[in-house]
């Protein structure tokens, strides 16, 4: 079955960088974009960006541009999200999620996120 | 950016009840609207995609409808395990989520 398994919790100082990994299995790695979404404590879901593992192309939400780097390693079916210049308000659970746009023999112009990784807690504290 | 607004922000209902959660987009998203369920300490789980298509394995008491700017998620015959926060998401122009609706089962 399709699985996304993320790296463990991180504690970082303000100003540092964090790199979270998302190891995928159960499907063709190059066939699906991977998105990153974060959730601050008690808050909702915030989309951060995506990577196309086939081409390496990326895009990110404007608020993260210049601070987030998305990469992939096809040799181990893993994608990475690195966030730099950490601030206290970057403390959150970070999720990776696979993009899908086909189901039951039908494909659509725009899709959905399924499945999601288990999440990685990032704490920012001095 | 497309803003997604859910209502209500929270609600409480009893086992066996039917509840409806509304999601409104600031501009048309056609039918590219998805619903997710999130329980405390867990990752979100896809319930419905393309506004009304039930994800495999999701109970048929969940249903979705709507198009353009107005969408609903209806949960019929509430079960205790339906206690969760529900999020809508548009993928028509970039990606954005509603703020969530917390459902408590009395």
């Amino acid at each position: 079955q399709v699985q996304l398994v993320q790296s463990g919790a991180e504690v970082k100082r303000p100003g540092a960088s964090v790199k979270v990994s998302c190891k995928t299995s159960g499907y063709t790695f190059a066939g699906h974009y991977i998105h990153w979404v974060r959730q601050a404590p008690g808050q909702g879901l915030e989309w951060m960006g995506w990577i196309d593992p086939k081409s390496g192309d990326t895009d990110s939400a404007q608020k993260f541009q210049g601070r987030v780097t998305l990469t992939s390693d096809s040799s181990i079916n893993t994608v990475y999200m690195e966030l730099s210049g950490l601030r206290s308000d970057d403390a959150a659970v970070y999720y990776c999620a696979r993009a899908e746009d086909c189901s039951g023999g039908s494909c659509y112009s725009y899709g959905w996120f399924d499945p999601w990784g288990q999440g990685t807690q990032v704490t920012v504290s001095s | 950016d497309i803003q997604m607004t859910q209502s209500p922000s929270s609600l409480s209902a009893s086992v066996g009840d039917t509840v409806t959660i509304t999601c409104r987009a600031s501009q048309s998203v056609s039918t590219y609207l998805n619903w997710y369920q999130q329980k405390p300490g867990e990752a979100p789980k896809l319930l419905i995609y393309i506004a009304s298509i039930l994800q495999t394995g999701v109970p048929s008491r969940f249903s979705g409808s709507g198009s353009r700017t107005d969408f609903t998620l209806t949960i019929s015959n509430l079960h205790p395990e339906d206690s969760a926060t529900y999020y809508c998401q548009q993928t028509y122009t970039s990606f954005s989520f509603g703020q969530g609706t917390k459902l408590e089962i009395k």
Side-chain angles (χ1 to χ4, degrees):
Chain A
Q1 76 280 23
V2 177
Q3 281 193 302
L4 281 65
V5 179
Q6 299 181 221
S7 49
E10 302 266 11
V11 179
K12 296 292 182 181
R13 302 284 195 201
S17 297
V18 67
K19 191 171 186 177
V20 179
S21 68
C22 173
K23 183 169 178 60
T24 73
S25 61
Y27 72 99
T28 302
F29 181 66
H32 296 262
Y33 287 24
I34 295 291
H35 291 258
W36 289 88
V37 175
R38 77 177 186 180
Q39 186 170 37
Q43 303 301 307
L45 303 170
E46 180 177 32
W47 177 75
M48 297 182 68
W50 58 255
I51 182 167
D52 176 1
K54 183 176 183 180
S55 64
D57 289 347
T58 65
D59 189 22
S60 59
Q62 190 166 9
K63 72 175 287 185
F64 298 107
Q65 288 177 5
R67 280 211 305 145
V68 70
T69 303
L70 304 179
T71 56
S72 65
D73 185 342
S74 60
S75 68
I76 53 172
N77 293 348
T78 299
V79 298
Y80 302 90
M81 185 283 300
E82 184 171 21
L83 188 63
S84 62
L86 288 171
R87 306 184 290 255
S88 58
D89 62 357
D90 290 318
V93 176
Y94 289 76
Y95 294 101
C96 59
R98 191 187 75 157
E100 179 62 88
D101 57 11
C102 294
S103 180
S106 297
C107 292
Y108 303 87
S109 298
Y110 307 96
W112 51 94
F113 296 177
D114 182 62
W116 296 55
Q118 83 277 18
T120 296
Q121 177 75 57
V122 174
T123 301
V124 183
S125 175
S126 54
Chain B
D1 292 3
I2 297 179
Q3 309 302 319
M4 308 300 294
T5 304
Q6 291 181 228
S7 60
S9 295
S10 64
L11 73 159
S12 180
S14 300
V15 171
D17 284 354
T18 294
V19 298
T20 297
I21 298 169
T22 296
C23 178
R24 176 162 287 175
S26 59
Q27 62 190 76
S28 175
V29 299
S30 184
T31 56
Y32 296 107
L33 189 286
N34 310 310
W35 290 97
Y36 300 87
Q37 176 193 66
Q38 186 181 34
K39 297 182 179 180
E42 297 183 5
K45 170 190 167 185
L46 178 70
L47 293 177
I48 287 170
Y49 58 97
I50 312 296
S52 63
I53 303 175
L54 198 65
Q55 170 68 338
T56 301
V58 174
S60 59
R61 62 179 184 275
F62 290 87
S63 63
S65 66
S67 66
R68 295 185 56 81
T69 61
D70 294 298
F71 302 86
T72 60
L73 171 69
T74 300
I75 313 172
S76 305
N77 185 25
L78 278 172
H79 284 38
E81 60 267 30
D82 298 334
S83 179
T85 300
Y86 294 86
Y87 293 93
C88 63
Q89 175 206 33
Q90 67 82 21
T91 60
Y92 185 66
T93 301
S94 191
F95 307 87
S96 52
F97 294 90
Q99 82 278 16
T101 296
K102 186 173 183 179
L103 171 61
E104 174 199 344
I105 309 299
K106 287 185 263 189

